[in-house]
Amino acid sequence: MASSSKHPTRNQPYENRSNLNDTNPLTAYLFRLMVIKRSNLCVSADVTTTNQLLELAEEVGDSIVLLKTHADIISDFAERTIRGLRDIAARKHFIVFEDRKFGDIGSTVQKQYVGGPLSIVRWAPIVNAHIFPGPAIITALKEAAEHALSGYNAAVSTEISADELEAHNYPHDSPIASASSSSSSDPHSANTGYPGAATSSSSASASTAAPARPTPNRVPSENVVDSDDGSEGAITAQHRKPSIISVSSSITTRYEHIAPPPSPGPKIPLRHQGESVSSAIERLGSPPLGRALLLLAQMSSEGNLLTGEYTQRCAQMARGHREFVMGFIAQESLNREPADNFITLTPGVSLVGKGDGLGQQYNGPDKVIKDAGSDVIIVGRGILIAEDRAEEAEKYRAAGWRAYEERVGSRKVGGRLRDGS
């Protein structure tokens, strides 16, 4: 791994990096969330059912800042999956990262991003992509995200009702029916928790009335015909009580815009001494509306081809799209130029293993965070196969955070705090 020790971000605390100019809004929020939760852990949810995914999220949610999903391997992926994941992410305070690895021409990736059975743009704030199709893949995904979030019909409801009929005018068992129906469509409902939304509505109604009707005290006997069993009770159509039928439809349009980069604001601690995580996150607020992209610059598998010039081209393309590209999937920090403040997520992290026999190579948190300058460790099987996944996630969280603190100088090697906190 090449060294990134000379770049300023190498020794800067996450909180300071969140306030740097031109930092992607979602990156800034993630850095601040990391400080509050004292975590730089992302768990890879390599599971195959909705129940398994939601159970894992519940178990590890308190220890992580990111949950990496593979929606295309969830055999029963549906609206229940999206709603459950959204609910847990909000309660446990983490961000969802869909490991889609887009890699096709622009028009195709746009369809994959916003459409199909997954509708990824709805529920995953972060996605990733290869750059081998060329730089157009970045602009295509960016345009698709902006279009999807700029405005949408949040709800369409139609109601049909008939006025209530006087019970004393007809037998109690008369076959008179009333109907109502409603439908709702919210194609981007995963975003409704974000601030900055304005709502407008319009409605239209139409009423049709039957001809004027007499108002008898009772239905004449000649208008009542015998039913099949010889009893009276069926009313002839021509003598049914006319009704006012009202059909109304309302369309509510919700306009949401990508939030601007957060301003540095006053220099106040993100988390006061003794303050709970939930209290500090309440002060932090909700994640900014918007979507962000990670570029696959390096891989952890043996013999992969994402090396050398390819990795350099990734960094160059990212610099041209800082407002959308938040960072990289890589084995080291790729911040090289003065304005670089990209976040780096590194997969293949394990406290014990060295490989899986299928090409995966593992490194420990110290090597990834301290030596290579990465920011977030991605852990999969090390946590998934543990007997107590919550406990194992907490071990990885502590190890990753300790490596970060030693890197930026808030700890001495050996673990004793320099500042006594």
Side-chain angles (χ1 to χ4, degrees):
M1 296 181 186
S3 172
S4 59
S5 59
K6 293 183 179 180
H7 196 271
T9 58
R10 179 70 168 73
N11 298 316
Q12 283 181 322
Y14 296 140
E15 184 172 359
N16 292 6
R17 290 176 64 184
S18 74
N19 293 318
L20 295 179
N21 293 332
D22 298 323
T23 300
N24 178 284
L26 202 51
T27 306
Y29 183 89
L30 180 55
F31 277 140
R32 294 166 183 173
L33 183 65
M34 290 161 68
V35 173
I36 291 173
K37 295 189 75 172
R38 296 175 61 83
S39 172
N40 51 9
L41 173 62
C42 170
V43 166
S44 183
D46 302 326
V47 295
T48 59
T49 69
T50 293
N51 285 343
Q52 291 171 352
L53 175 62
L54 301 184
E55 287 172 2
L56 175 65
E58 284 281 5
E59 291 175 21
V60 305
D62 290 331
S63 298
I64 66 175
V65 290
L66 291 166
L67 183 70
K68 184 169 74 73
T69 60
H70 291 279
D72 55 357
I73 68 172
I74 302 295
S75 60
D76 58 346
F77 187 92
E79 189 67 23
R80 182 173 76 91
T81 316
I82 296 173
R83 292 181 183 276
L85 194 57
R86 183 200 316 156
D87 174 69
I88 298 170
R91 287 189 290 103
K92 299 288 188 176
H93 312 297
F94 61 80
I95 298 173
V96 177
F97 156 38
E98 166 57 19
D99 190 11
R100 179 59 179 81
K101 297 184 176 73
F102 292 106
D104 213 316
I105 61 173
S107 62
T108 298
V109 299
Q110 286 183 333
K111 293 181 178 69
Q112 293 171 331
Y113 191 22
V114 306
L118 301 181
S119 299
I120 296 169
V121 73
R122 289 184 56 201
W123 52 271
I126 301 172
V127 294
N128 58 0
H130 291 286
I131 63 156
F132 55 73
I137 192 171
I138 300 174
T139 55
L141 290 170
K142 176 187 172 185
E143 289 173 2
E146 289 177 344
H147 180 73
L149 297 178
S150 62
Y152 58 85
N153 286 335
V156 178
S157 177
T158 301
E159 184 173 303
I160 303 174
S161 61
D163 64 336
E164 185 177 354
L165 304 179
E166 295 90 348
H168 66 274
N169 285 339
Y170 297 98
H172 71 277
D173 57 349
S174 298
I176 297 174
S178 63
S180 66
S181 65
S182 65
S183 63
S184 176
S185 174
D186 188 356
H188 303 291
S189 60
N191 304 318
T192 56
Y194 293 114
T199 303
S200 64
S201 65
S202 61
S203 64
S205 64
S207 297
T208 61
R213 70 175 188 258
T215 56
N217 292 328
R218 61 181 298 277
V219 178
S221 60
E222 63 268 22
N223 295 332
V224 180
V225 297
D226 291 341
S227 59
D228 291 339
D229 60 3
S231 63
E232 293 185 350
I235 301 175
T236 57
Q238 65 267 32
H239 291 101
R240 284 185 182 174
K241 183 177 179 182
S243 302
I244 302 296
I245 303 296
S246 176
V247 180
S248 64
S249 177
S250 63
I251 299 176
T252 302
T253 302
R254 185 181 185 90
Y255 294 98
E256 298 179 308
H257 301 281
I258 295 178
S263 58
K267 298 295 183 180
I268 59 174
L270 288 176
R271 185 176 174 187
H272 300 294
Q273 186 173 3
E275 184 179 18
S276 67
V277 171
S278 59
S279 174
I281 290 179
E282 184 176 356
R283 290 194 296 108
L284 176 64
S286 301
L289 176 66
R291 296 295 182 257
L293 179 67
L294 293 164
L295 297 182
L296 283 136
Q298 295 171 330
M299 296 183 70
S300 56
S301 56
E302 185 178 4
N304 75 85
L305 304 180
L306 275 61
T307 59
E309 183 180 354
Y310 186 93
T311 299
Q312 294 176 17
R313 290 293 301 277
C314 269
Q316 292 170 4
M317 290 182 189
R319 293 181 186 113
H321 301 275
R322 296 179 190 272
E323 74 286 352
F324 184 55
V325 178
M326 66 185 299
F328 308 99
I329 302 296
Q331 295 296 298
E332 59 181 328
S333 172
L334 300 182
N335 291 333
R336 297 290 186 271
E337 296 188 358
D340 288 354
N341 188 27
F342 297 109
I343 193 168
T344 303
L345 284 66
T346 298
V349 176
S350 174
L351 291 173
V352 292
K354 298 298 182 182
D356 65 355
L358 296 174
Q360 177 67 293
Q361 301 176 105
Y362 292 111
N363 292 300
D366 280 355
K367 184 174 183 180
V368 168
I369 300 295
K370 287 173 58 178
D371 300 341
S374 293
D375 299 303
V376 176
I377 57 174
I378 301 177
V379 182
R381 277 165 282 188
I383 291 173
L384 295 181
I385 65 176
E387 184 175 347
D388 187 329
R389 296 189 296 195
E391 180 180 355
E392 197 67 15
E394 186 59 19
K395 289 180 182 178
Y396 275 93
R397 182 209 63 80
W401 193 254
R402 181 172 57 250
Y404 155 72
E405 288 187 313
E406 291 177 355
R407 186 183 85 192
V408 299
S410 62
R411 284 179 178 267
K412 288 182 178 179
V413 175
R416 191 174 65 183
L417 291 171
R418 279 185 174 180
D419 56 11
S421 61

